[in-house]
Amino acid sequence: MRIIKTIKALRLCLAGFRRKGKTIGFVPTMGYFHKGHISLMKASKKANDITVVSLFVNPLQFGPREDLAKYPRDFKRDSLMAKEAGVDILFCPSPREMYPGSLLTRISVAEMSQGLCGASRPGHFEGVATVVGKLLNIVQPDVMCLGQKDAQQVAVLKKMVLDLNFPLKLNVVPTVREPDGLAMSSRNVYLSPSERKEAPAIYRALKAARVLILSGELDATKINSKIKKLILEGTSASIEYISCVDPDSLKAVRRIKLPVMVAVAVRFSAARLIDNIVVTRSIGSP
Ligand code: AMP
């Protein structure tokens, strides 16, 4: 595995592969890898000749009161895990390499960035879309792999790719969970031991919502209150949002029409966790 830190060196390296007709898969990340990241790397490897993973904690997507400085980092462990997963290139630019001067150009995916997580994290998705837009221009992959766990990010980037004609395919990989159902996340390390025990209640509540929907409940308000009750009863967390939305437009629905995405964000003392499920007609959907 090559570890590359500059845009120039990465472009030079990738031009060689492209000349040989190799296809390039790309996985953008902020590091502190877990099995969710690894499943994206494996999905990229399976469908492409060369896999590039970026590891960049993007300052642009953190609000002033968010965890940029203390976002978990472990480069040594990450590079070992990426190598083991068969990644060909780990691109880890410095903030200076990505943002050398003032940045006057941003990518804003308008109203899709404002609901759900966007409501409490103003500017977050503009930061995500801008850095991913830059990374796509740098890497020019054939395929970009994203995790369903960050469903709003998927929807926003899907629309950006469509609106701005980025020539690539998106591969959305199902959420990887701990054995007790908690969605894997770099931020799970912020949970206290007792919060960690409570956190699987989030996914249990989402699964209960799926059962309700598939048994014919069509009223989103009733489904939201059921999830709220289950999470509040099972955890010490507060709820930031619970919403039944259209999986593509992210618009909230009042009356359930399949497929529907049920998305939640909850706050524990030091960790903000998100999760979602998409309910389709078959019980076995992700
Ligand atoms: P991050 O490093 O948190 O920015 O995540 C990088 C990529 O990994 C994003 O596309 C995430 O959606 C994806 N990802 C994070 N957690 C999981 C998970 N538990 N399962 C699948 N993909 C994930």
Side-chain angles (χ1 to χ4, degrees):
M1 183 180 78
R2 282 192 62 181
I3 295 174
I4 297 184
K5 295 187 173 173
T6 68
I7 295 167
K8 195 173 164 195
L10 180 66
R11 283 199 161 131
L12 205 67
C13 174
L14 290 176
F17 287 123
R18 232 174 260 115
R19 266 197 307 275
K20 291 184 195 141
K22 306 281 188 201
T23 60
I24 295 166
F26 175 50
V27 183
T29 82
M30 297 206 300
Y32 211 68
F33 295 150
H34 50 67
K35 287 184 188 149
H37 295 109
I38 303 300
S39 92
L40 265 59
M41 295 173 198
K42 296 240 162 102
S44 166
K45 262 191 82 65
K46 204 168 162 190
N48 299 281
D49 300 316
I50 298 294
T51 287
V52 180
V53 172
S54 64
L55 194 176
F56 179 61
V57 182
N58 173 35
L60 215 59
Q61 69 191 67
F62 287 78
R65 285 186 306 279
E66 292 185 356
D67 55 346
L68 172 62
K70 62 177 175 66
Y71 193 81
R73 293 165 168 90
D74 190 343
F75 180 72
K76 217 168 165 186
R77 181 172 156 271
D78 281 353
S79 49
L80 277 174
M81 285 174 78
K83 192 174 167 196
E84 224 161 76
V87 169
D88 299 285
I89 299 170
L90 186 61
F91 177 52
C92 33
S94 64
R96 200 168 229 274
E97 179 72 7
M98 289 300 285
Y99 302 115
S102 66
L103 183 82
L104 299 181
T105 311
R106 310 266 174 132
I107 301 176
S108 163
V109 187
E111 72 257 28
M112 285 180 83
S113 301
Q114 281 147 23
L116 304 177
C117 294
S120 69
R121 305 188 72 188
H124 170 70
F125 289 106
E126 189 177 277
V128 170
T130 303
V131 80
V132 173
K134 279 167 72 74
L135 287 166
L136 290 178
N137 283 331
I138 294 165
V139 178
Q140 299 183 17
D142 298 282
V143 178
M144 173 164 67
C145 298
L146 299 171
Q148 174 62 29
K149 188 194 147 251
D150 297 276
Q152 189 170 13
Q153 177 167 286
V154 169
V156 163
L157 294 177
K158 223 184 228 178
K159 190 73 174 100
M160 175 189 86
V161 162
L162 188 74
D163 285 353
L164 298 183
N165 306 92
F166 282 98
L168 61 105
K169 273 199 210 135
L170 284 185
N171 181 0
V172 182
V173 176
T175 302
V176 177
R177 300 179 180 279
E178 300 286 358
D180 60 14
L182 175 64
M184 291 200 180
S185 163
S186 307
R187 289 186 166 105
N188 289 350
V189 292
Y190 298 150
L191 293 168
S192 72
S194 62
E195 289 173 340
R196 173 63 190 82
K197 280 195 198 128
E198 297 167 5
I202 302 166
Y203 185 51
R204 279 202 301 276
L206 288 173
K207 284 195 297 186
R210 169 184 283 144
V211 171
L212 259 183
I213 292 169
L214 291 176
S215 62
E217 180 57 71
L218 295 179
D219 184 343
T221 314
K222 283 194 186 148
I223 293 157
N224 294 344
S225 10
K226 172 80 179 172
I227 305 175
K228 187 172 175 184
K229 187 165 174 275
L230 288 172
I231 294 178
L232 291 179
E233 274 171 9
T235 72
S236 51
S238 60
I239 289 169
E240 188 183 295
Y241 67 75
I242 297 171
S243 195
C244 296
V245 300
D246 175 281
D248 290 318
S249 70
L250 302 179
K251 288 207 170 102
V253 295
R254 279 206 213 142
R255 213 174 149 72
I256 304 295
K257 202 175 126 236
L258 300 184
V260 67
M261 182 165 85
V262 188
V264 303
V266 309
R267 278 184 195 275
F268 285 93
S269 53
R272 176 181 178 279
L273 303 185
I274 57 171
D275 202 349
N276 69 85
I277 52 164
V278 177
V279 184
T280 59
R281 258 164 233 293
S282 68
I283 298 228
S285 55

